[in-house]
């Protein structure tokens, strides 16, 4: 169940990205890379020793901190994704 919820949250994040016009290229690229890496982890059932797996939550926390003031909707989505990743053991 949490994996399904996480996939729904990723869809919401993508919608937020599509609607947010005021992101610089670096920020947009960072979020898109996070999105892809989360999808890869969910789809491929990567192991905990995979480098992508190991840094994913740290990268989400950093992204959330970066967007908390200017893009609170993105921040909320990123925090919720981090929570869901924790529920599935990532």
């Amino acid at each position: 169940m949490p994996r399904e919820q996480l996939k729904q949250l990723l869809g919401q994040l993508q919608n937020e990205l599509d609607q947010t016009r005021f992101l610089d290229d670096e920020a947009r690229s960072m979020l898109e890379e996070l999105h892809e890496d989360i999808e890869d982890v969910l789809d491929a059932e990567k192991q905990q020793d995979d480098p992508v797996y190991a840094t994913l939550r740290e990268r989400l926390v950093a992204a959330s901190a970066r967007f908390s003031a200017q893009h609170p909707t993105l921040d909320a989505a990123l925090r919720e994704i981090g929570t869901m990743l924790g529920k599935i053991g990532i």
Side-chain angles (χ1 to χ4, degrees):
M1 180 72 138
R3 286 182 186 266
E4 293 171 15
Q5 290 174 328
L6 186 53
K7 287 192 178 234
Q8 289 176 345
L9 286 170
L10 288 173
Q12 291 173 359
L13 177 61
Q14 187 61 51
N15 288 338
E16 292 296 330
L17 281 172
D18 292 343
Q19 294 176 15
T20 303
R21 295 182 288 160
F22 302 106
L23 282 179
D24 59 44
D25 291 339
E26 179 186 349
R28 189 170 298 278
S29 176
M30 178 182 64
L31 289 171
E32 289 172 355
E33 185 177 324
L34 272 170
H35 184 273
E36 290 172 13
D37 288 346
I38 293 168
E39 286 284 349
D40 287 347
V41 167
L42 291 175
D43 292 341
E45 303 274 337
K46 293 190 181 233
Q47 300 299 316
Q48 288 186 0
D49 60 349
D50 186 289
V52 170
Y53 187 102
T55 64
L56 200 50
R57 292 208 48 209
E58 293 170 12
R59 292 171 39 219
L60 275 167
V61 168
S64 177
R66 178 175 180 170
F67 297 113
S68 64
Q70 295 176 334
H71 303 287
T73 307
L74 288 175
D75 174 47
L78 290 167
R79 282 186 282 116
E80 184 65 23
I81 289 169
T83 299
M84 294 304 295
L85 287 172
K87 288 181 179 180
I88 62 170
I90 296 175

